[in-house]
């Protein structure tokens, strides 16, 4: 890099720093900055465009264009060359702007006399803030050094915008992180919550983007990178689990930490006048921008690794670790890009809600959030860059909407919604100890789903008659190695104790697909949901299943034991699993251990194949539980992790209800107890329809028992069945409209 370019760049940044240090309002500073950039770069024009909302850029300052166009000229993202820079997050450099694809002439600016155009995005960690543009009358392309210099300037502008240096009148100059923001995500656990933001990984704030002494900054960067390399090496040396995915990530970390290109780019940024922190963040911002446009999932993951490594390096340089001195609010709503199950359990029930920028419906975090009954919204884009610790948040886990720093009208409407729900909860509390008996005299058994000891107090508070599903995999997911048999036996015994004589149905280990154990060799499968999972893993790796069955038998210690096997797809699988349990009972008896008073052995029907299984299956099973979430996705061939298709198919679809009714009739013919387990069982309208077609037991999250019981106690199943049958006869695709109309006419 030529020495004179380095010096010119440093002079420009020094002038910017001095200008920013002078007193003045945000508009004055922007005006002075455009003048300095135009003078220093020898251009006729410098303009700064900032976002006034998520889709609109506004000209906020200019040197060279008509002054009256400031705050009047606006562009949509993607519109004109400036809009293209904002959309793609990449520079545009052209010597003949009017001939460039997408050029838009803005007559109020007087820019028709300028041929050359260089636009660079102003962005920080993937957050788009605006565009800085230089233009000249004579046709020429700007050199690589000039493009690079303007990128460095844009980096400083981003940092100063973040620090509030350009706050003024109007939307475009409004202070960041103070405006109301609504973010749409995906529901992973229903519920609503009001609280204050608590960032799992607090933002690193760079307060000194411009540095005087490049040698000092280069030394700081070298020392920080050396510390980072040592940390990564230590992480690799301590990774004794042999988990292929974990080792791959750590190897990627090591590769980036030792990347000469990564370090060289940061050194060049420092030579241009940036501080070490700003140089790291400039590279991190570039990585995040690329991450958003790269379609290849492997490359996206590698950019994610680089982003994470940059964050570690920033924390070393700034000393801003996770402990920032901020006090956790009394009503925390956790904000994170993603989070592991163990970390989430550390927070426990202290959280009012959780918002993740990434995540999936079936992720470990979602499983734990459901177990803890904490509202969770995932895929909430930009939430980690928008939220600050202590910001008020309204989390609508029914709609998948997050209101950050809401306006008073939104807050009032949300509080009205919560008040209505609280009023309804009082009604539900009044019938907590009452049975779920319909107007036509049918008694429905309502049980709860659980997976942690912390769930068990809900047995009393919710009015559940037992645990229809205890997910045993949570104890395996949150550990770094296989739990000991004695520990599992003690845990299961505490669960049975807490149930106080109520029935608890333990589902054996349901792993695979989206539930991968860190200490188990991952399987490369094109479609994990249809792959090696649940009972298939248990039958192929019988050692772990035998250990778990032994723990369950010992936990019962003479009391009744109920065990069900997941994802049974054919009769022989159930026979084999059942045989394993019977063999363990025989073995425990030979060892002189106390056997359960009674043993029920059941199956979860989650694949359509079992609706057509031989009669012997229904006769052999002591009970059957429909796993509604998986059965529905396999019935409709619609991945429940895929937002494009999972909401496309209704549980009350005529075909699905008819299919379920077939299973109900087969169970009635053989006298096999049947229940429906899943999210749909906890939705009052769906629960009403399921009981109307013959289900007499439903298992759901504890919070749903009250609303479902309330609906059933004031409904006549014969009337509901008549409405369903009429809708079917009419050729309707779903019975939902007819049922909802019937409920409205009843005043529901």
């Amino acid at each position: 890099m030529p020495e004179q370019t380095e010096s010119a760049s440093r002079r420009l940044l020094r002038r910017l720093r001095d200008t920013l240090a002078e007193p003045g309002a945000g508009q004055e500073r922007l005006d002075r900055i455009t003048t300095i950039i135009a003078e220093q770069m020898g251009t006729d024009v410098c303009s700064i465009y900032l976002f006034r909302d998520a889709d609109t850029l506004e000209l906020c300052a200019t040197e060279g264009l008509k002054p009256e166009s400031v705050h009047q000229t606006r562009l949509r993202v993607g519109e004109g060359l400036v809009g293209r820079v904002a959309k793609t997050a990449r520079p545009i450099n052209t010597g003949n702007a009017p001939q460039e694809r997408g050029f838009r002439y803005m007559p109020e600016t007087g820019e028709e006399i300028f041929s050359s155009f260089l636009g660079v995005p102003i962005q920080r960690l993937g957050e788009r803030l605006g565009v800085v543009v230089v233009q000249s009358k004579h046709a020429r392309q700007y050199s690589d050094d000039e493009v690079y210099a303007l990128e460095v300037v844009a980096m400083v502008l981003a940092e100063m915008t973040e620090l509030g240096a350009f706050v003024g009148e109007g939307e475009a100059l409004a202070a960041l992180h103070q405006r109301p923001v609504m973010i749409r995500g995906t529901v992973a656990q229903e519920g609503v919550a009001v609280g204050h933001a608590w960032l799992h990984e607090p933002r690193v704030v760079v307060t000194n983007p411009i540095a005087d002494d490049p040698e000092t900054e280069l030394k700081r960067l070298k020392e920080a990178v050396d510390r980072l390399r040592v940390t990564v090496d230590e992480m690799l040396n301590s990774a004794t689990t042999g988990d292929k995915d974990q080792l791959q990530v750590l190897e990627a970390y090591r590769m980036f930490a030792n990347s000469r290109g990564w370090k060289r780019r940061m050194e060049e940024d420092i030579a241009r006048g940036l501080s070490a922190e700003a140089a790291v963040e400039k590279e991190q911002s570039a990585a995040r921008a690329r991450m958003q446009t790269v379609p290849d999932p492997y490359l996206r993951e590698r950019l994610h690794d680089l982003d994470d490594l940059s964050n570690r390096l920033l924390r070393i340089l700034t000393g801003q670790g996770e402990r920032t001195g901020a006090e956790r609010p009394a009503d925390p709503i956790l904000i994170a890009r993603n989070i592991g199950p163990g970390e989430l359990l550390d927070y426990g029930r202290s959280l009012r809600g959780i918002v993740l920028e990434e995540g999936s419906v079936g992720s470990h975090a979602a499983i734990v959030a459901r177990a803890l009954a904490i509202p969770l919204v995932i895929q909430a884009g930009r939430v980690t860059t928008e939220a600050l610790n202590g910001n008020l948040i309204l989390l609508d886990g029914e709609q998948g909407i997050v209101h950050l720093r809401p306006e008073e009208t939104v807050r009032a409407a949300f509080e009205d919604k919560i008040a209505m729900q609280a009023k309804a909860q009082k009604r539900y509390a009044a019938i907590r100890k009452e049975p779920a008996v319909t107007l036509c005299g049918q008694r429905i058994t309502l049980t709860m789903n659980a997976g942690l000891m912390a769930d068990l107090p809900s047995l009393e508070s919710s009015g559940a008659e037992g645990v229809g599903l205890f997910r045993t995999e949570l104890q395996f997911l949150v550990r770094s190695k296989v739990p000991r048999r004695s520990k599992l036996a003690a845990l299961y015994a505490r669960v049975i104790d807490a149930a106080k004589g109520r029935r608890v149905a333990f589902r054996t280990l349901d792993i695979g697909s989206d539930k991968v154990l860190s200490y188990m060799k991952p399987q490369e499968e094109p479609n994990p949901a249809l792959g090696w999972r649940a009972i298939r893993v248990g039958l192929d790796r019988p050692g772990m299943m035998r250990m778990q069955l032994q723990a369950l038998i010992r936990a019962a210690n003479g009391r009744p034991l109920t065990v069900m096997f997941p994802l049974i797809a054919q009769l022989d699988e159930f026979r084999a699993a059942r045989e394993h349990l019977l063999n363990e009972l025989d073995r425990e008896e030979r060892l002189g251990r106390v056997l359960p008073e009674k043993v029920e052995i059941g199956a979860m029907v989650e694949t359509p194949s079992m609706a057509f299984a031989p009669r012997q299956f229904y006769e052999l099973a002591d009970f059957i539980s429909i796993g509604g979430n998986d059965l529905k996705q396999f019935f409709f061939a619609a991945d429940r992790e895929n937002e494009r298709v999972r909401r496309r198919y209704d549980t009350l679809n005529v075909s699905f209800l008819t299919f379920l009714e077939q299973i109900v009739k087969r169970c009635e013919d053989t006298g096999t107890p049947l229940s429906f387990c899943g999210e749909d069982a906890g939705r009052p309208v769906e629960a009403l329809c399921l009981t109307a077609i013959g289900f007499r037991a439903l298992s759901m999250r504890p919070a749903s028992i009250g609303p479902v019981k309330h609906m059933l106690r004031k409904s006549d199943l014969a009337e509901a069945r008549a409405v369903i049958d009429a809708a079917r006869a009419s050729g309707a695709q779903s019975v939902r409209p007819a049922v909802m109309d019937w409920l409205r006419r009843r005043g529901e």
Side-chain angles (χ1 to χ4, degrees):
M1 186 189 306
E3 174 60 32
Q4 63 180 50
T5 305
E6 294 176 359
S7 300
S9 176
R10 287 202 296 273
R11 279 198 303 272
L12 172 55
L13 289 183
R14 204 158 29 243
R15 288 187 66 186
L16 288 180
R17 183 192 59 196
D18 293 343
T19 297
L20 290 167
E22 295 172 5
Q27 186 65 57
E28 293 176 64
R29 286 175 168 168
L30 276 177
D31 292 340
R32 289 200 297 265
I33 285 170
T34 54
T35 301
I36 289 170
I37 295 172
E39 287 177 358
Q40 199 72 39
M41 293 190 66
T43 61
D44 298 312
V45 172
C46 175
S47 304
I48 294 175
Y49 297 79
L50 298 176
F51 277 96
R52 60 176 284 111
D53 58 46
D55 302 309
T56 313
L57 289 152
E58 183 176 298
L59 176 61
C60 290
T62 186
E63 170 67 29
L65 299 183
K66 291 181 180 179
E68 58 268 27
S69 63
V70 173
H71 297 304
Q72 301 303 313
T73 297
R74 291 172 187 168
L75 292 155
R76 305 287 287 179
V77 172
E79 182 182 10
L81 299 187
V82 173
R84 267 180 59 199
V85 173
K87 183 176 183 178
T88 62
R90 293 179 179 174
I92 290 180
N93 180 10
T94 176
N96 191 349
Q99 297 301 311
E100 190 73 18
R101 177 177 63 84
F103 173 81
R104 183 192 165 193
Y105 172 51
M106 312 282 280
E108 71 274 18
T109 65
E111 64 179 337
E112 66 274 11
I113 61 174
F114 304 107
S115 294
S116 64
F117 175 99
L118 170 60
V120 169
I122 302 171
Q123 59 187 351
R124 184 180 187 274
L125 303 184
E127 184 180 12
R128 303 175 305 174
L129 300 172
V131 177
V132 57
V133 175
V134 292
Q135 295 172 272
S136 297
K137 290 179 182 176
H138 59 286
R140 71 177 183 95
Q141 278 213 316
Y142 292 92
S143 68
D144 290 343
D145 282 336
E146 288 172 313
V147 174
Y148 198 104
L150 196 60
E151 286 180 329
V152 171
V153 168
M155 170 71 201
V156 173
L157 291 176
E159 290 300 332
M160 302 319 294
T161 302
E162 170 77 13
L163 293 171
F166 308 127
V167 174
E169 294 183 9
E171 290 296 319
L173 297 185
L176 295 178
H177 312 301
Q178 291 185 21
R179 312 177 205 182
V181 175
M182 186 189 80
I183 299 173
R184 291 189 178 274
T186 299
V187 177
Q189 167 63 17
E190 295 173 347
V192 295
V194 177
H196 291 84
W198 182 250
L199 273 70
H200 181 57
E201 291 184 336
R203 301 164 68 92
V204 174
V205 180
V206 176
T207 56
N208 59 330
I210 303 169
D212 276 325
D213 186 354
E215 292 304 317
T216 299
E217 297 303 306
L218 287 169
K219 182 181 177 184
R220 291 179 64 231
L221 178 68
K222 180 182 182 304
E223 289 173 353
V225 169
D226 287 344
R227 280 182 59 189
L228 181 68
R229 288 170 177 164
V230 170
T231 302
V232 172
D233 287 342
E234 288 174 349
M235 289 165 65
L236 260 168
N237 293 335
S238 63
T240 57
T241 64
D243 175 22
K244 181 181 175 185
D245 286 349
Q246 181 189 7
L247 291 173
Q248 278 186 343
V249 169
L250 292 175
E251 286 292 357
Y253 280 5
R254 175 182 273 173
M255 179 187 73
F256 285 127
N258 289 282
S259 167
R260 292 181 181 177
W262 182 50
K263 190 162 179 272
R264 177 180 50 76
R265 288 193 299 273
M266 292 187 290
E267 289 170 345
E268 288 175 352
D269 293 332
I270 289 172
R272 295 278 181 177
L274 290 183
S275 67
E277 292 93 330
V280 174
E281 197 165 270
K282 180 175 179 292
E283 286 305 305
Q284 189 179 17
S285 293
R288 283 204 183 176
R290 290 196 297 273
M291 213 186 309
Q292 294 169 358
T293 59
V294 170
D296 184 88
Y298 176 80
L299 290 177
R300 215 166 35 240
E301 279 301 311
R302 297 292 70 82
L303 287 169
H304 191 290
D305 295 339
L306 178 57
D307 180 54
D308 185 64
L309 204 65
S310 299
N311 215 37
R312 291 171 185 268
L313 186 55
L314 269 178
R315 293 191 185 283
I316 292 171
L317 281 165
T318 62
Q320 296 175 31
E322 293 186 11
R323 301 186 184 278
T324 61
E327 186 175 344
R328 188 191 299 186
D331 53 356
I333 291 181
L334 187 70
I335 307 294
R337 282 173 63 194
N338 219 330
I339 190 168
E343 294 171 304
L344 192 50
L345 281 171
D346 286 341
Y347 285 104
R349 292 183 184 273
S350 67
L351 300 176
R352 291 284 182 88
I354 307 163
V355 184
L356 299 181
E357 197 160 296
E358 300 172 0
S360 64
V361 174
S363 68
H364 298 172
I367 293 165
V368 172
R370 281 195 285 273
L372 295 172
I374 299 173
L376 168 63
V377 171
I378 59 174
Q379 298 296 322
R382 309 185 342 272
V383 71
T384 58
T385 54
E386 286 283 3
L388 294 179
N389 276 339
N391 283 161
L392 178 66
I393 295 186
L394 311 179
L395 190 160
D396 188 340
E398 315 289 339
Q399 304 294 324
I401 294 173
V402 177
H403 295 280
L404 187 60
R405 301 178 293 269
E407 293 176 340
E408 192 56 41
T409 53
V410 174
R411 184 175 179 177
F414 201 81
E415 287 174 349
D416 286 345
K417 179 176 182 176
I418 290 177
M420 288 177 64
Q421 290 188 342
K423 189 176 178 181
Q425 287 299 329
K426 287 184 179 178
R427 289 203 308 271
Y428 306 147
I431 60 171
R432 179 169 56 85
K433 295 183 179 179
E434 300 294 325
V437 178
T438 64
L439 292 178
C440 53
Q442 286 289 351
R443 195 186 191 296
I444 311 299
T445 301
L446 302 182
T447 58
M448 61 175 262
N449 301 332
L452 297 166
M453 277 302 300
D455 295 323
L456 274 301
S458 297
L459 265 171
E460 297 292 342
S461 60
S462 68
E465 298 177 61
V467 179
L469 165 65
F470 190 90
R471 304 180 183 92
T472 61
E473 61 272 9
L474 288 181
Q475 305 308 317
F476 289 78
L477 287 170
V478 299
R479 286 174 166 78
S480 59
K481 58 183 179 181
V482 179
R484 296 172 65 90
R485 179 177 54 195
S486 58
K487 294 274 188 185
L488 287 179
L491 170 74
Y492 300 151
R494 291 201 303 275
V495 171
I496 297 170
D497 291 341
K500 296 179 181 176
R502 299 180 184 91
R503 179 176 179 268
V504 179
F506 290 95
R507 182 179 70 186
T508 60
L509 195 56
D510 185 3
I511 56 170
S513 183
D514 49 17
K515 291 175 279 192
V516 181
L517 304 181
S518 63
Y519 44 87
M520 192 170 178
K521 185 179 179 182
Q523 303 298 309
E524 299 294 336
E525 296 183 295
N527 193 336
L530 298 177
W532 195 59
R533 53 174 293 207
I535 196 61
R536 298 164 184 175
V537 177
L539 293 176
D540 289 353
R541 299 286 187 272
M544 188 178 290
M545 184 161 75
R546 286 181 55 214
M547 182 271 287
Q548 187 181 26
L549 294 175
Q550 290 164 13
L552 286 165
I553 294 167
R554 295 177 191 183
N557 194 28
R559 295 171 291 186
L561 175 64
T562 301
V563 177
M564 62 179 171
F565 296 103
L567 203 75
I568 297 295
Q570 60 182 9
L571 172 58
D572 282 352
E573 287 176 339
F574 182 64
R575 279 178 173 152
R578 184 174 180 274
E579 195 64 27
H580 274 293
L581 178 51
L582 294 176
N583 288 340
E584 293 311 314
L585 286 166
D586 288 343
R587 180 179 177 277
E588 292 293 294
E589 185 176 28
R590 289 196 305 272
L591 292 173
R593 299 189 185 277
V594 178
L595 295 185
E597 173 192 333
K598 173 180 126 183
V599 178
E600 291 181 285
I601 307 175
M604 290 206 81
V605 169
E606 300 168 272
T607 63
S609 62
M610 297 316 290
F612 309 97
R615 182 182 176 90
Q616 290 94 318
F617 168 69
Y618 291 90
E619 292 174 336
L620 194 59
D622 293 326
F623 67 94
I624 286 171
S625 179
I626 299 288
N629 297 339
D630 262 330
L631 184 62
K632 184 175 164 186
Q633 80 164 338
F634 295 143
F635 183 84
F636 288 113
D639 183 356
R640 62 191 174 111
E641 300 269 346
N642 187 333
E643 282 301 298
R644 289 186 175 181
V645 297
R646 82 182 186 100
R647 294 183 182 276
R648 194 183 187 103
Y649 302 100
D650 190 357
T651 304
L652 302 187
N653 178 288
V654 166
S655 300
F656 191 54
L657 286 182
T658 303
F659 175 71
L660 291 176
E661 201 170 18
Q662 178 179 331
I663 299 173
V664 170
K665 287 178 179 175
R666 297 205 68 184
C667 286
E668 287 175 351
D669 288 346
T670 54
T672 309
L674 174 68
S675 66
F676 188 99
C677 174
E679 293 173 16
D680 291 316
R683 298 188 172 112
V685 175
E686 281 84 339
L688 173 61
C689 293
L690 290 170
T691 51
I693 65 169
F695 284 91
R696 294 296 174 260
L698 305 173
S699 189
M700 63 203 72
R701 65 189 182 108
S704 297
I705 289 175
V708 168
K709 186 185 289 187
H710 179 71
M711 172 67 83
L712 294 177
R713 283 171 58 87
K714 57 181 183 176
S715 299
D716 184 311
L717 297 187
E719 287 183 25
R721 177 60 183 261
V723 173
I724 291 170
D725 288 344
R728 279 199 276 212
S730 73
Q733 178 170 282
S734 170
V735 306
R736 187 179 299 277
V739 171
M740 294 300 292
D741 182 60
W742 172 65
L743 289 172
R744 275 191 294 271
R745 283 187 277 110
R746 283 178 44 198
E748 300 298 332

